[in-house]
């Protein structure tokens, strides 16, 4: 049966290029800011931001982005995906301009929150448009390119940020977004066709509100716990409120005759298993990149630009293998490809358990390469399975669920693995801090960054403190890496138990499974 003559858009590959540009600006900015944090903390060359203010410069974006992803995916299906993408790009560009010229940390935090609104409007509709302009036989390959672009942006962000900071002022890391956004808006207006759900039905107002409140509360609790520890009532209270509201959301969606998300889809293996895989792999991977960055910059002494360059093997593997994953799925089946990808990811994370302060750097680069290759063969088949479980007009729902799970799981991974890192570090360095001045003791006990800052004021005692801090951090990294490897290995169990194999994926699940389940949403 020939599908290409009537289901694929004639300019679909050019449209994919435009969507990748739109996506790159969102993902790049989320990683590019990390290398600017030290500069932003400088009173002379930055804003003199405190540690808490720097954390919220990152987290205000994450909180708004995660909270609105699902809602904006649903609304994009209703009001028009092209329109939503252009509005999101315009908001993102305006917020980037406001961020670049912020005069205080508070202004930067507010501008970053506005960037979160724009980003939440951009990311889900890019995947929705891909599902609508590509026919099912090409969609897997297109999603592979999309996933490869995400991996490339994650690694290129620190390199670009380091290069900009070496030649320009801190605001350049935000200002660089503006010309890209302008080009994106023009290209979207000219090339991307409008699409929407032809039978949107009534708006599920209560469901939309519950999803926003639940995701924001859950994300806030995760972020607060990651910053201050999970022994605070505020963190657990926010997490429990978020989970309770999301449970209410699920119950409401089950009983509604016009749900924004048909939760019965989670009984369908084509949808539920890859959603779980996306959550597990991003929990493990984002946590590992968090401690990997500290390891390279502090323990190994590399600059932000050098650190970004050292992540290139991860980006290169994504760029090479992600677009080819669709062919691998056709040949071996999604279950086999995802199992191998998760196995490679788990092995790479477990390898960090054996990396020390003097491990040859080529070994670290090899580990990043293996991790990139593993993730390149997880995300495309998982995302394709999620998107194929829904009819095209409901693509925004699948995209929103996938991206929401990824964002929340990534934040959870950074928070929990970061807490493990901090707890083991503090336990291990305690004896080495005896006799230090109170201020130096508190700073060194807080984090390895604090230990390096304290050592700068200690004179002859500095080398001993730095050595103890490095040893404590490496030990903590080993524990966090072991936990992240276990989480990735859990994904293998999910794949083998519930992910459809080659025979099952050869039949389009959207036609056979999702349509009856979604009958009430039209």
């Amino acid at each position: 049966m020939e599908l290409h003559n009537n289901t694929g858009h004639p300019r679909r590959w050019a449209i994919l290029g435009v969507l990748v540009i739109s996506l790159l600006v969102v993902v790049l900015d989320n990683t590019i800011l990390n290398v600017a944090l030290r500069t932003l903390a400088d009173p002379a060359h930055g804003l003199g931001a405190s540690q808490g203010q720097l954390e919220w410069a990152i987290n205000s974006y994450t909180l708004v982005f995660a909270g609105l992803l699902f809602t904006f995916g649903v609304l994009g299906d209703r009001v028009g995906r092209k329109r939503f993408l252009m509005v999101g790009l315009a908001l993102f560009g305006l917020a980037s301009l406001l961020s670049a010229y912020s005069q205080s940390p508070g202004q930067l935090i507010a501008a970053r929150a506005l960037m979160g609104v724009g980003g939440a409007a951009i990311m889900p509709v890019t995947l929705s448009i891909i599902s609508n302009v590509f026919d099912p036989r090409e969609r897997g390959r297109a999603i592979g390119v999309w996933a490869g672009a995400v991996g490339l942006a994650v690694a290129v962000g620190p390199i670009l940020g380091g290069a900009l900071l070496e030649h320009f002022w801190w605001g350049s890391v935000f200002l660089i977004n503006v010309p890209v956004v302008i080009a994106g808006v023009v290209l979207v207006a000219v090339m991307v066709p409008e699409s929407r759900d032809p039978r949107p039905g009534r708006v599920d107002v209560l469901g939309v509100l519950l999803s926003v409140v639940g995701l924001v509360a859950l994300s806030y609790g995760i972020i607060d716990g990651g910053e201050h520890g999970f022994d605070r009532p505020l963190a657990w209270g926010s997490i429990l409120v978020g989970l309770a509201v999301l449970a209410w959301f699920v119950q409401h969606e089950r009983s509604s005759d016009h749900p924004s998300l048909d939760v019965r889809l989670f009984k369908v293996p084509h949808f539920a298993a890859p959603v779980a895989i996306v959550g597990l792999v991003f929990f493990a991977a984002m946590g590992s990149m968090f401690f990997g960055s500290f390891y390279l910059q502090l323990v190994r002494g590399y600059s932000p630009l050098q650190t970004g360059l050292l992540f290139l093997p991860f980006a290169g593997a994504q760029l090479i293998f992600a677009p080819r994953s669709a062919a691998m799925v056709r040949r071996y089946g999604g279950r086999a490809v995802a199992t191998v990808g998760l196995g490679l990811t788990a092995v790479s994370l477990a390898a960090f358990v054996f990396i020390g302060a003097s491990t040859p750097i080529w070994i670290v680069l090899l580990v990043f390469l293996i991790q990139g290759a593993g993730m390149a063969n997880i995300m495309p088949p998982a995302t394709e399975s999620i998107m194929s479980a829904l009819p095209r007009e409901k693509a925004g729902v699948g995209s929103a669920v996938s991206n929401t799970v990824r964002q929340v799981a990534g934040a959870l991974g950074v928070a929990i693995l970061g807490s493990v890192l901090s707890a083991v570090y503090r336990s291990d360095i305690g004896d080495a801090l005896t006799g230090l001045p109170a201020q130096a003791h508190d700073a060194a006990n807080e984090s390895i960054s604090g230990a390096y800052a304290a050592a700068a004021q200690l004179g002859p005692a500095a080398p001993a403190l730095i050595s103890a801090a490095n040893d404590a951090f490496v030990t903590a990294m080993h524990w966090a890496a072991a936990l992240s490897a276990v989480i990735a290995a859990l994904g293998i169990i999910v794949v083998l138990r519930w992910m459809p194999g080659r025979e099952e994926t050869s039949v389009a699940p959207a036609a056979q499974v999702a349509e009856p389940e979604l009958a009430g949403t039209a």
Side-chain angles (χ1 to χ4, degrees), residues 74 232 439:
V74 173
R232 286 160 44 97
Q439 188 173 0

Side-chain angles (χ1 to χ4, degrees), residues 225-241:
E227 288 178 15
H228 306 293
F230 285 93
D231 55 344
R232 286 160 44 97
L234 179 61
W236 279 111
S238 182
I239 289 171
L240 292 174
V241 167

Side-chain angles (χ1 to χ4, degrees), residues 164-350:
L164 287 170
L165 290 171
E166 285 190 4
H167 297 94
F168 306 102
W169 104 111
W170 64 266
S172 62
V173 301
F174 299 110
L175 202 60
I176 190 69
N177 296 333
V178 177
V180 180
V181 163
I182 292 172
V185 169
V186 172
L187 289 171
V188 169
V190 172
M191 300 195 64
V192 177
E194 183 60 282
S195 62
R196 58 173 58 87
D197 185 349
R199 300 174 297 163
R202 290 182 291 157
V203 178
D204 178 19
V205 177
L206 179 58
V208 164
L209 291 175
L210 290 175
S211 72
V212 172
V213 173
L215 287 169
V216 167
L218 177 62
S219 302
Y220 181 86
I222 292 168
I223 291 168
D224 185 79
E227 288 178 15
H228 306 293
F230 285 93
D231 55 344
R232 286 160 44 97
L234 179 61
W236 279 111
S238 182
I239 289 171
L240 292 174
V241 167
L243 291 174
V245 173
L246 289 175
W248 182 8
F249 167 75
V250 170
Q251 183 59 40
H252 168 73
E253 297 299 284
R254 290 181 63 184
S255 60
S256 175
D257 60 358
H258 58 286
S260 52
L261 171 64
D262 190 332
V263 294
R264 292 172 295 174
L265 276 169
F266 288 97
K267 296 180 180 179
V268 180
H270 292 83
F271 187 86
V275 166
I277 295 165
V278 167
L280 290 171
V281 77
F282 266 83
F283 179 101
M286 295 309 293
S288 70
M289 293 191 79
F290 174 76
F291 63 67
S293 180
F294 279 99
Y295 167 79
L296 291 172
Q297 290 195 56
L298 294 174
V299 177
R300 302 303 294 263
Y302 291 105
S303 70
L305 179 56
Q306 290 171 327
T307 298
L309 290 170
L310 289 171
F311 278 115
L312 274 179
F314 176 87
Q318 292 270 315
L319 205 58
I320 293 168
F321 292 107
R324 291 168 171 78
S325 64
M328 300 295 287
V329 170
R330 284 194 299 270
R331 184 170 183 179
Y332 300 107
R335 180 189 296 162
V337 173
T339 299
V340 171
L342 280 161
L344 290 173
T345 303
V347 166
S348 67
L349 295 172

